C-alpha cells in the first residue's frame, strides 16, 4: 500500500482488532494526560498565548471553549499534553506521537455542530496519524546524526491526519508532508534534558506545523519532498504500511516522568514492596542505568519541568508516595525535606551493558543500603507498561480516572469517560468533542 493510499483509503475494516483496541487506549490515555496537564503553569501560559496570538475561527480550546484557529488549538493542546510527561511513547523514535496527533485530529474537526465523522472513522484517522508519525520518526533517526525532538517527525503524522480529514489530493498530500518535515521543530533534544524548561519535546509545535501544512497545501502552497518519506534509504521502513503496525510497539507510562527514569523508579518500588523498606532507614541508593538515564542528573528540582527530567528526585519521591503525578511534582512538594534528604543519598552510574541496549530497551538496577547494613538489590529492571507487558484496559482506565478527577468533577469526568468508551460505536464524535470543550 502506498503512503498516499494508506492515508486516504485505510478503513476501519482494514485494522486488526488489536490495533482498533490500541487506538482506543491511546486516545483515552492521551486525553487523561491532557486533562491533568491543564493544571501546569506551562499549559496556563500557552493557553493565554494562543488566545492572544492565534485567535481566529475553526477550533476551540479543551476545558475552556474559547474559539481559536486550528493551528492555535493544536499548539495549545499539544503543549498541554507535553507538559505532563505521562503520555504514550515509542522506543525506536525515542519520543511521542500521540501528544501531537491527537490534538491535530481534534483540530481537523468542525468546531461546532455535527462533525459528519463516525467514531470508527475518527479512530481510523488516529491510526493513520500514529503510523505515519512513528515511521517518520524511525526514518529520521536512521538518516540523521542528531537527536531531535518529537516535533521534528510527529508533524508528518499530523499533516497526514489533516490531509485525510480535509480530503486533499495526492499531490496536495505530498506537499503537506514535505512542508511538515521542512518546518517541523528539529530541536536538540538533549538540551531540553540537560536544561529542563518549558520547551519540552516540541510536540505542540509539531502539531501546529502539521495542521498548518495541510491547511496551506489545501490552498495550493507547495512544499519540498519529505526525505524521511521519499528517500531510497528509508524505503523499507514505509513498504510495510498496512501490513505491520508500529502502534504495536507503543508503551504507556505509570509515572509522570521521563521514560528514561522509570526503570530506576520501578526497581526501587519493587524493592520497597518486597522488603517493606522505610525511606527513613535508607543510608544509600545506587542506581546503575544506561547513559541517557545517567544524564537525568537533577537532584533538587525547583520546577515541574526539572522534576520530570530528573531520575534522582522522582526515585526519592516515589519511595514516599508510590505514584508520581502532577501533585507530586509541583510547588512546595519539591522542597519536602524528607524527599530532598533521601535524594541526597542517591548515586547514579552508567552500566555499559544497559547502554548498549538503548533505545530498544531501557534497563536499570537499584541497590538500596540500609543503616543496619542490609543491602537489597533489584536486579535488572525495565519500566512497567511496555509493549511486551502492556497495561490492561482496566489499568489504563483507572489511570484516566485518577488524572481526570484531579481537574474536573466526578460527574464531568464520567461524561468524558463515557464518550471515550463508546467512541468506536458513535455515529458522530461531536459529543466527545463538546464534552471536552466545556469550561
Amino acid at each position: 500500500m502506498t503512503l498516499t493510499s494508506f492515508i486516504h483509503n485505510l478503513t476501519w475494516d482494514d485494522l486488526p482488532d488489536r490495533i482498533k483496541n490500541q487506538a482506543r487506549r491511546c486516545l483515552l490515555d492521551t486525553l487523561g494526560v491532557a486533562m491533568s496537564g491543564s493544571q501546569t503553569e506551562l499549559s496556563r501560559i500557552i493557553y493565554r498565548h494562543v488566545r492572544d496570538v492565534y485567535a481566529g475561527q475553526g477550533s476551540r480550546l479543551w476545558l475552556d471553549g474559547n474559539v481559536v484557529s486550528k493551528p492555535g488549538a493544536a499548539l495549545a493542546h499539544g503543549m498541554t499534553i507535553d507538559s505532563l510527561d505521562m503520555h504514550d511513547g515509542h522506543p525506536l523514535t525515542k519520543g511521542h506521537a500521540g501528544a501531537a496527533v491527537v490534538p491535530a485530529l481534534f483540530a481537523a474537526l468542525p468546531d461546532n455542530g455535527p462533525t459528519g465523522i463516525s467514531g470508527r472513522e475518527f479512530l481510523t484517522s488516529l491510526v493513520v496519524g500514529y503510523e505515519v508519525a512513528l515511521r517518520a520518526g524511525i526514518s529520521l533517526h536512521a538518516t540523521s546524526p542528531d537527536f531531535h525532538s518529537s516535533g521534528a517527525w510527529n508533524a508528518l503524522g499530523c499533516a497526514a491526519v489533516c490531509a485525510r480529514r480535509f480530503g486533499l489530493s495526492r499531490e496536495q498530500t505530498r506537499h503537506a508532508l514535505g512542508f511538515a518535515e521542512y518546518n517541523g521543530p528539529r530541536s536538540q533534544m538533549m538540551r531540553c534534558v540537560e536544561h529542563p524548561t518549558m520547551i519540552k519535546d516540541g510536540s505542540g509545535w509539531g502539531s501546529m506545523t502539521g495542521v498548518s501544512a495541510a491547511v496551506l497545501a489545501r490552498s495550493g502552497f507547495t512544499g519540498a519532498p519529505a526525505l524521511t518519506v521519499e528517500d531510497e534509504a528509508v524505503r523499507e521502513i514505509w513498504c510495510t504500511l498496512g501490513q505491520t503496525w508500529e502502534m504495536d510497539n507503543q508503551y504507556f507510562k505509570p509515572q509522570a516522568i521521563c521514560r528514561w527514569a522509570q526503570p530506576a523508579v520501578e526497581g526501587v518500588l519493587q524493592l520497597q514492596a518486597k522488603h517493606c523498606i522505610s525511606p527513613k532507614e535508607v543510608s544509600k541508593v545506587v542506581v546503575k542505568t544506561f547513559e541517557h538515564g545517567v544524564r537525568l542528573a537533577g537532584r533538587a528540582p525547583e520546577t515541574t519541568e526539572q522534576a520530570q527530567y530528573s531520575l534522582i528526585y522522582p526515585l526519592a519521591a516515589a519511595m514516599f508516595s508510590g505514584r508520581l503525578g502532577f501533585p507530586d511534582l509541583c510547588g512546595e512538594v519539591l522542597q519536602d525535606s524528607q524527599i530532598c534528604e533521601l535524594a541526597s543519598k542517591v548515586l547514579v552510574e552508567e552500566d555499559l551493558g544497559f547502554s548498549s541496549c538503548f533505545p530498544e530497551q531501557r534497563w536499570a538496577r537499584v541497590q538500596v543500603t540500609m543503616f543496619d547494613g542490609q543491602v537489597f538489590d533489584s536486579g535488572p529492571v525495565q519500566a512497567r507498561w511496555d509493549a511486551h507487558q502492556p497495561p490492561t484496559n482496566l489499568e489504563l482506565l483507572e489511570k484516566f480516572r485518577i488524572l481526570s478527577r484531579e481537574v474536573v468533577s466526578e460527574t464531568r469526568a464520567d461524561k468524558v469517560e463515557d464518550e471515550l468508551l463508546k467512541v468506536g460505536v458513535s455515529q458522530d464524535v461531536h459529543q466527545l468533542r463538546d464534552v471536552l470543550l466545556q469550561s
Side-chain angles (χ1 to χ4, degrees), residues 135 139 143 227-241:
R135 280 175 168 76
S139 297
T143 55
L227 296 181
T228 51
V229 173
E230 299 188 18
D231 194 278
E232 180 62 24
V234 299
R235 184 181 64 83
E236 290 188 4
I237 295 171
W238 294 95
C239 69
T240 58
L241 270 173

Side-chain angles (χ1 to χ4, degrees), residues 108-351:
L109 300 177
D111 69 337
N112 58 65
T115 66
I117 301 167
S118 70
R120 290 183 173 184
E121 169 55 26
F122 184 82
L123 291 173
T124 305
S125 297
L126 187 66
V127 172
V128 167
Y130 266 87
E131 292 296 319
V132 172
L134 294 173
R135 280 175 168 76
I138 294 170
S139 297
L140 189 54
H141 280 294
T143 55
S144 171
D146 63 314
F147 181 11
H148 33 263
S149 66
S150 297
W153 48 266
N154 60 29
L156 279 80
C158 299
V161 162
C162 292
R164 180 184 176 99
R165 295 270 39 93
F166 297 162
L168 300 191
S169 69
R170 178 184 181 279
E171 194 62 19
Q172 287 173 326
T173 299
R174 182 169 179 255
H175 286 304
L177 294 170
F179 180 101
E181 182 194 75
Y182 189 82
N183 291 287
R186 196 162 169 174
S187 316
Q188 305 98 327
M189 189 58 207
M190 292 311 297
R191 284 178 61 190
C192 173
V193 171
E194 293 169 350
H195 305 282
T197 63
M198 293 181 181
I199 56 176
K200 303 292 282 187
D201 196 23
S203 288
W205 299 101
S207 191
M208 179 185 69
T209 300
V211 173
S212 298
V215 171
L216 284 166
R218 182 170 58 178
S219 299
F221 199 97
T222 56
L227 296 181
T228 51
V229 173
E230 299 188 18
D231 194 278
E232 180 62 24
V234 299
R235 184 181 64 83
E236 290 188 4
I237 295 171
W238 294 95
C239 69
T240 58
L241 270 173
Q243 302 170 39
T244 63
W245 305 88
E246 286 301 327
M247 288 187 79
D248 278 329
N249 300 316
Q250 287 281 110
Y251 62 75
F252 297 89
K253 288 186 178 181
Q255 314 289 351
I257 56 175
C258 179
R259 186 67 171 182
W260 301 349
Q262 298 211 13
V265 170
E266 181 63 22
V268 80
L269 290 177
Q270 287 183 12
L271 287 177
Q272 200 171 23
K274 183 176 181 180
H275 301 289
C276 300
I277 295 172
S278 169
K280 297 178 181 180
E281 298 173 2
V282 173
S283 68
K284 182 173 67 173
V285 180
V286 176
V287 177
K288 297 182 183 295
T289 191
F290 52 97
E291 187 265 341
H292 283 72
V294 173
R295 293 169 76 173
L296 300 171
R299 189 178 300 274
E302 297 179 357
T303 67
T304 298
E305 289 74 35
Q306 291 175 359
Q308 290 183 98
Y309 280 116
S310 167
L311 184 155
I312 294 170
Y313 178 85
L315 184 145
M319 292 193 73
F320 284 95
S321 67
R323 175 188 172 272
L324 299 173
F326 175 71
D328 308 290
L329 299 168
C330 67
E332 294 181 358
V333 174
L334 299 178
Q335 280 74 52
D336 183 280
S337 60
Q338 291 184 322
I339 297 175
C340 292
E341 181 182 0
L342 182 56
S344 71
K345 302 174 182 178
V346 179
L347 303 175
V348 184
E349 304 171 352
E350 181 183 2
D351 183 296

Side-chain angles (χ1 to χ4, degrees), residues 1-10 132 170 229 238-239 241-243:
M1 183 181 290
T2 66
L3 175 56
T4 305
S5 177
F6 181 82
I7 291 172
H8 292 287
N9 300 326
L10 187 73
V132 172
R170 178 184 181 279
V229 173
W238 294 95
C239 69
L241 270 173
Q243 302 170 39

